[in-house]
Amino acid sequence: MKNLLYLAIFISSFVNAQSYYKKISEKDINTERQTIAKNFIQDFLKKCEEKNFSKFESYNISKRFEMFLTKNLESICKKNDEDLGKIELLNFDSAHLNKYSVNNDPYELFIFNAKTEKNPNTKFLSVWIYQDKNYLNGLVLTKEKPLKPYKKDK
């Protein structure tokens, strides 16, 4: 009986680990945050294209993400240009709520389709936004939707 309980706990933790996000239905998507996400991506791409590595002025950005951008924007833009070429933002794909942030400081993930000049496998531009005052907390360009936690290769 004890082994059965351990097995049930193990399986339930595995199932939960597979879904960190809950998809937000079309009608429940916050259009203001969706627009902020889209505009931020467009401004990010424009800054990279114009080699303008100045601070993002018209957005609420979490301090950690702001410090990251201040330190790394130029190198990120250069690497993206070398590896991916021109990056084009296409259309909105979906929005997701991080289930584990709901009781603390809820944030949403906005995913957009993208196209790159040099790597057709890279297909998504995604932005994390806190619900409180619409603070931006991350941007990523990926091959798959970033719905699972990032795991570094060892």
Side-chain angles (χ1 to χ4, degrees):
M1 185 68 169
K2 191 174 180 181
N3 288 339
L4 187 60
L5 177 64
Y6 288 136
L7 181 62
I9 291 170
F10 173 75
I11 290 172
S12 68
S13 68
F14 181 76
V15 170
N16 288 337
Q18 298 303 310
S19 58
Y20 282 82
Y21 291 89
K22 176 185 175 213
K23 187 170 184 177
I24 300 171
S25 68
E26 267 312 297
K27 67 180 179 55
D28 292 330
I29 293 172
N30 182 297
T31 55
E32 179 183 10
R33 280 194 284 280
Q34 180 183 359
T35 300
I36 290 169
K38 179 181 178 183
N39 290 344
F40 181 74
I41 292 170
Q42 289 172 330
D43 288 350
F44 174 85
L45 295 175
K46 185 177 179 182
K47 278 183 173 287
C48 287
E49 193 174 300
E50 295 175 352
K51 297 181 181 8
N52 170 8
F53 309 118
S54 63
K55 185 177 177 180
F56 289 87
E57 295 294 334
S58 56
Y59 296 96
N60 291 333
I61 300 177
S62 70
K63 286 296 176 197
R64 181 178 287 164
F65 186 43
E66 184 176 38
M67 290 183 337
F68 175 82
L69 288 172
T70 299
K71 182 179 177 184
N72 299 303
L73 182 60
E74 184 174 358
S75 61
I76 291 169
C77 290
K78 285 180 181 178
K79 182 157 178 47
N80 283 347
D81 189 45
E82 291 169 9
D83 296 348
L84 304 171
K86 183 169 177 54
I87 301 168
E88 182 182 351
L89 179 65
L90 300 176
N91 56 324
F92 175 71
D93 181 274
S94 56
H96 304 264
L97 174 65
N98 181 289
K99 294 193 289 189
Y100 298 99
S101 71
V102 171
N103 295 325
N104 300 333
D105 198 1
Y107 62 89
E108 297 172 359
L109 171 64
F110 290 86
I111 303 173
F112 294 83
N113 295 308
K115 183 171 83 173
T116 64
E117 180 180 30
K118 296 179 182 176
N119 188 343
N121 293 328
T122 303
K123 301 186 257 190
F124 301 104
L125 267 162
S126 305
V127 174
W128 286 267
I129 301 180
Y130 285 103
Q131 290 179 350
D132 181 34
K133 299 182 184 174
N134 297 333
Y135 270 80
L136 295 157
N137 193 45
L139 169 72
V140 67
L141 184 59
T142 56
K143 295 177 182 180
E144 297 177 7
K145 294 179 184 180
L147 299 174
K148 295 180 184 173
Y150 173 73
K151 293 182 182 176
K152 289 186 177 181
D153 294 331
K154 293 185 178 184

